[in-house]
Amino acid sequence: MSDIEIRDERDKGILVARAAGEPEGAVFGYIQYFVLDAPERALVPVHTVVEREYEGRGIAGSMARELYAIAARESIAVAPLCPFVVEWAARHPGEAPVASPELMDAAQRALADDSAKW
């Protein structure tokens, strides 16, 4: 879908898909995530939402792709806990490096220790 713009709103912990060129335009969807600092810095997506009227347009996949692209630009990992992102990553191994078991364990512990991350 080429009429969307995906922005990282790191301070809010979301990656947001909106109408292109409309900074406060309709939100098509978002990925909620948090940043993990140890054992290594990583983005940890926990939830993906696409508004019902925009489903089936590839928005969730575009957001997952951008999340991994952001991590690659920052030279950090992605430790996906969101089921959609886990499935997307499995279908796109060339774009989605697998996180180590240690990193995944740390991400799960961080989420369990702080329900505000969810």
Side-chain angles (χ1 to χ4, degrees), residues 29-52:
Y30 62 90
I31 292 179
Q32 182 180 348
Y33 72 92
F34 64 91
V35 178
L36 186 67
D37 289 318
E40 64 182 282
R41 194 158 171 81
L43 301 180
V44 183
V46 295
H47 193 55
T48 299
V49 172
V50 173
E51 299 301 327
R52 186 171 305 277

PDB file of all heavy atoms in Angstrom, residues 29-52:
ATOM      1  N   GLY A  29      -2.868   1.658  11.449  1.00  0.00           N
ATOM      2  CA  GLY A  29      -2.450   0.600  12.350  1.00  0.00           C
ATOM      3  C   GLY A  29      -1.181   0.980  13.079  1.00  0.00           C
ATOM      4  O   GLY A  29      -0.619   2.042  12.844  1.00  0.00           O
ATOM      5  N   TYR A  30      -0.755   0.089  13.962  1.00  0.00           N
ATOM      6  CA  TYR A  30       0.476   0.350  14.704  1.00  0.00           C
ATOM      7  C   TYR A  30       1.052  -0.954  15.236  1.00  0.00           C
ATOM      8  O   TYR A  30       0.352  -1.959  15.350  1.00  0.00           O
ATOM      9  CB  TYR A  30       0.246   1.323  15.861  1.00  0.00           C
ATOM     10  CG  TYR A  30      -0.721   0.833  16.901  1.00  0.00           C
ATOM     11  CD1 TYR A  30      -0.277   0.092  18.001  1.00  0.00           C
ATOM     12  CD2 TYR A  30      -2.088   1.094  16.801  1.00  0.00           C
ATOM     13  CE1 TYR A  30      -1.163  -0.372  18.953  1.00  0.00           C
ATOM     14  CE2 TYR A  30      -2.984   0.622  17.749  1.00  0.00           C
ATOM     15  CZ  TYR A  30      -2.513  -0.106  18.824  1.00  0.00           C
ATOM     16  OH  TYR A  30      -3.385  -0.578  19.772  1.00  0.00           O
ATOM     17  N   ILE A  31       2.338  -0.911  15.529  1.00  0.00           N
ATOM     18  CA  ILE A  31       3.007  -1.973  16.277  1.00  0.00           C
ATOM     19  C   ILE A  31       3.478  -1.348  17.579  1.00  0.00           C
ATOM     20  O   ILE A  31       4.204  -0.355  17.572  1.00  0.00           O
ATOM     21  CB  ILE A  31       4.211  -2.563  15.515  1.00  0.00           C
ATOM     22  CG1 ILE A  31       3.743  -3.327  14.266  1.00  0.00           C
ATOM     23  CG2 ILE A  31       5.027  -3.491  16.440  1.00  0.00           C
ATOM     24  CD1 ILE A  31       4.870  -3.920  13.438  1.00  0.00           C
ATOM     25  N   GLN A  32       3.029  -1.909  18.682  1.00  0.00           N
ATOM     26  CA  GLN A  32       3.495  -1.470  19.999  1.00  0.00           C
ATOM     27  C   GLN A  32       4.766  -2.246  20.322  1.00  0.00           C
ATOM     28  O   GLN A  32       4.830  -3.459  20.100  1.00  0.00           O
ATOM     29  CB  GLN A  32       2.427  -1.758  21.051  1.00  0.00           C
ATOM     30  CG  GLN A  32       2.795  -1.305  22.439  1.00  0.00           C
ATOM     31  CD  GLN A  32       1.695  -1.610  23.439  1.00  0.00           C
ATOM     32  OE1 GLN A  32       0.577  -1.964  23.085  1.00  0.00           O
ATOM     33  NE2 GLN A  32       2.027  -1.487  24.707  1.00  0.00           N
ATOM     34  N   TYR A  33       5.782  -1.545  20.821  1.00  0.00           N
ATOM     35  CA  TYR A  33       7.051  -2.198  21.145  1.00  0.00           C
ATOM     36  C   TYR A  33       7.723  -1.486  22.305  1.00  0.00           C
ATOM     37  O   TYR A  33       7.309  -0.410  22.715  1.00  0.00           O
ATOM     38  CB  TYR A  33       7.978  -2.222  19.913  1.00  0.00           C
ATOM     39  CG  TYR A  33       8.552  -0.870  19.550  1.00  0.00           C
ATOM     40  CD1 TYR A  33       9.784  -0.471  20.052  1.00  0.00           C
ATOM     41  CD2 TYR A  33       7.862   0.012  18.731  1.00  0.00           C
ATOM     42  CE1 TYR A  33      10.310   0.773  19.738  1.00  0.00           C
ATOM     43  CE2 TYR A  33       8.376   1.249  18.408  1.00  0.00           C
ATOM     44  CZ  TYR A  33       9.595   1.627  18.921  1.00  0.00           C
ATOM     45  OH  TYR A  33      10.108   2.861  18.617  1.00  0.00           O
ATOM     46  N   PHE A  34       8.762  -2.126  22.822  1.00  0.00           N
ATOM     47  CA  PHE A  34       9.613  -1.454  23.800  1.00  0.00           C
ATOM     48  C   PHE A  34      11.061  -1.721  23.421  1.00  0.00           C
ATOM     49  O   PHE A  34      11.359  -2.584  22.595  1.00  0.00           O
ATOM     50  CB  PHE A  34       9.301  -1.865  25.252  1.00  0.00           C
ATOM     51  CG  PHE A  34       9.552  -3.303  25.601  1.00  0.00           C
ATOM     52  CD1 PHE A  34      10.780  -3.716  26.108  1.00  0.00           C
ATOM     53  CD2 PHE A  34       8.546  -4.251  25.448  1.00  0.00           C
ATOM     54  CE1 PHE A  34      11.004  -5.038  26.453  1.00  0.00           C
ATOM     55  CE2 PHE A  34       8.757  -5.575  25.802  1.00  0.00           C
ATOM     56  CZ  PHE A  34       9.985  -5.978  26.298  1.00  0.00           C
ATOM     57  N   VAL A  35      11.947  -0.943  24.024  1.00  0.00           N
ATOM     58  CA  VAL A  35      13.382  -1.090  23.770  1.00  0.00           C
ATOM     59  C   VAL A  35      14.000  -1.814  24.956  1.00  0.00           C
ATOM     60  O   VAL A  35      13.815  -1.410  26.103  1.00  0.00           O
ATOM     61  CB  VAL A  35      14.055   0.279  23.562  1.00  0.00           C
ATOM     62  CG1 VAL A  35      15.561   0.118  23.357  1.00  0.00           C
ATOM     63  CG2 VAL A  35      13.423   1.014  22.386  1.00  0.00           C
ATOM     64  N   LEU A  36      14.698  -2.882  24.647  1.00  0.00           N
ATOM     65  CA  LEU A  36      15.410  -3.656  25.654  1.00  0.00           C
ATOM     66  C   LEU A  36      16.876  -3.240  25.597  1.00  0.00           C
ATOM     67  O   LEU A  36      17.425  -3.080  24.498  1.00  0.00           O
ATOM     68  CB  LEU A  36      15.265  -5.150  25.329  1.00  0.00           C
ATOM     69  CG  LEU A  36      15.821  -6.147  26.326  1.00  0.00           C
ATOM     70  CD1 LEU A  36      15.016  -6.104  27.629  1.00  0.00           C
ATOM     71  CD2 LEU A  36      15.760  -7.550  25.724  1.00  0.00           C
ATOM     72  N   ASP A  37      17.506  -3.058  26.749  1.00  0.00           N
ATOM     73  CA  ASP A  37      18.912  -2.643  26.766  1.00  0.00           C
ATOM     74  C   ASP A  37      19.890  -3.779  27.019  1.00  0.00           C
ATOM     75  O   ASP A  37      21.052  -3.693  26.626  1.00  0.00           O
ATOM     76  CB  ASP A  37      19.123  -1.541  27.810  1.00  0.00           C
ATOM     77  CG  ASP A  37      18.490  -0.235  27.362  1.00  0.00           C
ATOM     78  OD1 ASP A  37      18.609   0.111  26.174  1.00  0.00           O
ATOM     79  OD2 ASP A  37      17.854   0.429  28.196  1.00  0.00           O
ATOM     80  N   ALA A  38      19.451  -4.839  27.707  1.00  0.00           N
ATOM     81  CA  ALA A  38      20.377  -5.937  28.029  1.00  0.00           C
ATOM     82  C   ALA A  38      19.648  -7.275  27.869  1.00  0.00           C
ATOM     83  O   ALA A  38      18.438  -7.331  28.118  1.00  0.00           O
ATOM     84  CB  ALA A  38      20.895  -5.771  29.452  1.00  0.00           C
ATOM     85  N   PRO A  39      20.320  -8.280  27.428  1.00  0.00           N
ATOM     86  CA  PRO A  39      21.749  -8.456  27.277  1.00  0.00           C
ATOM     87  C   PRO A  39      22.344  -7.712  26.080  1.00  0.00           C
ATOM     88  O   PRO A  39      23.570  -7.607  25.956  1.00  0.00           O
ATOM     89  CB  PRO A  39      21.920  -9.970  27.113  1.00  0.00           C
ATOM     90  CG  PRO A  39      20.645 -10.411  26.500  1.00  0.00           C
ATOM     91  CD  PRO A  39      19.593  -9.496  27.071  1.00  0.00           C
ATOM     92  N   GLU A  40      21.482  -7.220  25.197  1.00  0.00           N
ATOM     93  CA  GLU A  40      21.898  -6.340  24.102  1.00  0.00           C
ATOM     94  C   GLU A  40      20.711  -5.465  23.758  1.00  0.00           C
ATOM     95  O   GLU A  40      19.574  -5.766  24.096  1.00  0.00           O
ATOM     96  CB  GLU A  40      22.351  -7.145  22.875  1.00  0.00           C
ATOM     97  CG  GLU A  40      21.240  -7.973  22.252  1.00  0.00           C
ATOM     98  CD  GLU A  40      21.697  -8.806  21.084  1.00  0.00           C
ATOM     99  OE1 GLU A  40      21.856  -8.222  19.995  1.00  0.00           O
ATOM    100  OE2 GLU A  40      21.879 -10.014  21.257  1.00  0.00           O
ATOM    101  N   ARG A  41      20.989  -4.367  23.103  1.00  0.00           N
ATOM    102  CA  ARG A  41      19.913  -3.450  22.725  1.00  0.00           C
ATOM    103  C   ARG A  41      19.060  -4.101  21.648  1.00  0.00           C
ATOM    104  O   ARG A  41      19.576  -4.668  20.683  1.00  0.00           O
ATOM    105  CB  ARG A  41      20.504  -2.143  22.228  1.00  0.00           C
ATOM    106  CG  ARG A  41      19.490  -1.028  22.124  1.00  0.00           C
ATOM    107  CD  ARG A  41      20.223   0.312  22.167  1.00  0.00           C
ATOM    108  NE  ARG A  41      19.323   1.402  21.866  1.00  0.00           N
ATOM    109  CZ  ARG A  41      18.497   1.952  22.747  1.00  0.00           C
ATOM    110  NH1 ARG A  41      18.460   1.505  23.982  1.00  0.00           N
ATOM    111  NH2 ARG A  41      17.712   2.954  22.401  1.00  0.00           N
ATOM    112  N   ALA A  42      17.728  -4.008  21.834  1.00  0.00           N
ATOM    113  CA  ALA A  42      16.807  -4.634  20.884  1.00  0.00           C
ATOM    114  C   ALA A  42      15.457  -3.938  20.908  1.00  0.00           C
ATOM    115  O   ALA A  42      15.056  -3.360  21.926  1.00  0.00           O
ATOM    116  CB  ALA A  42      16.611  -6.111  21.224  1.00  0.00           C
ATOM    117  N   LEU A  43      14.769  -4.006  19.788  1.00  0.00           N
ATOM    118  CA  LEU A  43      13.374  -3.599  19.712  1.00  0.00           C
ATOM    119  C   LEU A  43      12.541  -4.850  19.969  1.00  0.00           C
ATOM    120  O   LEU A  43      12.822  -5.915  19.408  1.00  0.00           O
ATOM    121  CB  LEU A  43      13.045  -3.033  18.330  1.00  0.00           C
ATOM    122  CG  LEU A  43      13.864  -1.826  17.882  1.00  0.00           C
ATOM    123  CD1 LEU A  43      13.427  -1.383  16.486  1.00  0.00           C
ATOM    124  CD2 LEU A  43      13.727  -0.684  18.871  1.00  0.00           C
ATOM    125  N   VAL A  44      11.531  -4.720  20.824  1.00  0.00           N
ATOM    126  CA  VAL A  44      10.709  -5.868  21.201  1.00  0.00           C
ATOM    127  C   VAL A  44       9.245  -5.562  20.873  1.00  0.00           C
ATOM    128  O   VAL A  44       8.541  -4.935  21.663  1.00  0.00           O
ATOM    129  CB  VAL A  44      10.863  -6.207  22.701  1.00  0.00           C
ATOM    130  CG1 VAL A  44      10.059  -7.451  23.055  1.00  0.00           C
ATOM    131  CG2 VAL A  44      12.333  -6.374  23.072  1.00  0.00           C
ATOM    132  N   PRO A  45       8.775  -5.988  19.697  1.00  0.00           N
ATOM    133  CA  PRO A  45       7.373  -5.768  19.364  1.00  0.00           C
ATOM    134  C   PRO A  45       6.483  -6.724  20.157  1.00  0.00           C
ATOM    135  O   PRO A  45       6.782  -7.918  20.270  1.00  0.00           O
ATOM    136  CB  PRO A  45       7.314  -6.068  17.864  1.00  0.00           C
ATOM    137  CG  PRO A  45       8.463  -6.982  17.601  1.00  0.00           C
ATOM    138  CD  PRO A  45       9.518  -6.619  18.605  1.00  0.00           C
ATOM    139  N   VAL A  46       5.405  -6.160  20.736  1.00  0.00           N
ATOM    140  CA  VAL A  46       4.521  -6.969  21.569  1.00  0.00           C
ATOM    141  C   VAL A  46       3.093  -7.064  21.035  1.00  0.00           C
ATOM    142  O   VAL A  46       2.348  -7.961  21.438  1.00  0.00           O
ATOM    143  CB  VAL A  46       4.502  -6.470  23.036  1.00  0.00           C
ATOM    144  CG1 VAL A  46       5.858  -6.655  23.676  1.00  0.00           C
ATOM    145  CG2 VAL A  46       4.053  -5.034  23.135  1.00  0.00           C
ATOM    146  N   HIS A  47       2.724  -6.160  20.144  1.00  0.00           N
ATOM    147  CA  HIS A  47       1.324  -6.155  19.689  1.00  0.00           C
ATOM    148  C   HIS A  47       1.225  -5.426  18.355  1.00  0.00           C
ATOM    149  O   HIS A  47       1.810  -4.352  18.194  1.00  0.00           O
ATOM    150  CB  HIS A  47       0.472  -5.455  20.739  1.00  0.00           C
ATOM    151  CG  HIS A  47      -0.995  -5.617  20.577  1.00  0.00           C
ATOM    152  ND1 HIS A  47      -1.613  -6.840  20.497  1.00  0.00           N
ATOM    153  CD2 HIS A  47      -1.978  -4.699  20.468  1.00  0.00           C
ATOM    154  CE1 HIS A  47      -2.919  -6.658  20.362  1.00  0.00           C
ATOM    155  NE2 HIS A  47      -3.163  -5.376  20.335  1.00  0.00           N
ATOM    156  N   THR A  48       0.506  -6.011  17.419  1.00  0.00           N
ATOM    157  CA  THR A  48       0.246  -5.376  16.125  1.00  0.00           C
ATOM    158  C   THR A  48      -1.249  -5.205  15.954  1.00  0.00           C
ATOM    159  O   THR A  48      -2.018  -6.151  16.191  1.00  0.00           O
ATOM    160  CB  THR A  48       0.803  -6.227  14.961  1.00  0.00           C
ATOM    161  OG1 THR A  48       2.217  -6.363  15.123  1.00  0.00           O
ATOM    162  CG2 THR A  48       0.509  -5.589  13.617  1.00  0.00           C
ATOM    163  N   VAL A  49      -1.650  -4.003  15.545  1.00  0.00           N
ATOM    164  CA  VAL A  49      -3.057  -3.698  15.317  1.00  0.00           C
ATOM    165  C   VAL A  49      -3.199  -3.028  13.958  1.00  0.00           C
ATOM    166  O   VAL A  49      -2.433  -2.119  13.638  1.00  0.00           O
ATOM    167  CB  VAL A  49      -3.605  -2.738  16.404  1.00  0.00           C
ATOM    168  CG1 VAL A  49      -5.010  -2.270  16.064  1.00  0.00           C
ATOM    169  CG2 VAL A  49      -3.558  -3.384  17.769  1.00  0.00           C
ATOM    170  N   VAL A  50      -4.162  -3.490  13.177  1.00  0.00           N
ATOM    171  CA  VAL A  50      -4.575  -2.795  11.957  1.00  0.00           C
ATOM    172  C   VAL A  50      -6.071  -2.569  12.101  1.00  0.00           C
ATOM    173  O   VAL A  50      -6.822  -3.507  12.410  1.00  0.00           O
ATOM    174  CB  VAL A  50      -4.256  -3.611  10.681  1.00  0.00           C
ATOM    175  CG1 VAL A  50      -4.843  -2.934   9.451  1.00  0.00           C
ATOM    176  CG2 VAL A  50      -2.752  -3.781  10.522  1.00  0.00           C
ATOM    177  N   GLU A  51      -6.483  -1.324  11.916  1.00  0.00           N
ATOM    178  CA  GLU A  51      -7.910  -1.003  12.029  1.00  0.00           C
ATOM    179  C   GLU A  51      -8.697  -1.827  11.016  1.00  0.00           C
ATOM    180  O   GLU A  51      -8.263  -2.024   9.889  1.00  0.00           O
ATOM    181  CB  GLU A  51      -8.141   0.493  11.822  1.00  0.00           C
ATOM    182  CG  GLU A  51      -7.436   1.372  12.846  1.00  0.00           C
ATOM    183  CD  GLU A  51      -7.848   1.080  14.287  1.00  0.00           C
ATOM    184  OE1 GLU A  51      -9.021   0.704  14.537  1.00  0.00           O
ATOM    185  OE2 GLU A  51      -6.999   1.221  15.178  1.00  0.00           O
ATOM    186  N   ARG A  52      -9.835  -2.310  11.432  1.00  0.00           N
ATOM    187  CA  ARG A  52     -10.635  -3.250  10.642  1.00  0.00           C
ATOM    188  C   ARG A  52     -10.855  -2.801   9.195  1.00  0.00           C
ATOM    189  O   ARG A  52     -10.725  -3.581   8.274  1.00  0.00           O
ATOM    190  CB  ARG A  52     -11.985  -3.494  11.319  1.00  0.00           C
ATOM    191  CG  ARG A  52     -12.809  -4.571  10.623  1.00  0.00           C
ATOM    192  CD  ARG A  52     -14.031  -4.973  11.409  1.00  0.00           C
ATOM    193  NE  ARG A  52     -13.749  -5.400  12.756  1.00  0.00           N
ATOM    194  CZ  ARG A  52     -13.354  -6.619  13.115  1.00  0.00           C
ATOM    195  NH1 ARG A  52     -13.178  -7.525  12.203  1.00  0.00           N
ATOM    196  NH2 ARG A  52     -13.125  -6.922  14.364  1.00  0.00           N
TER     197      ARG A  52
END
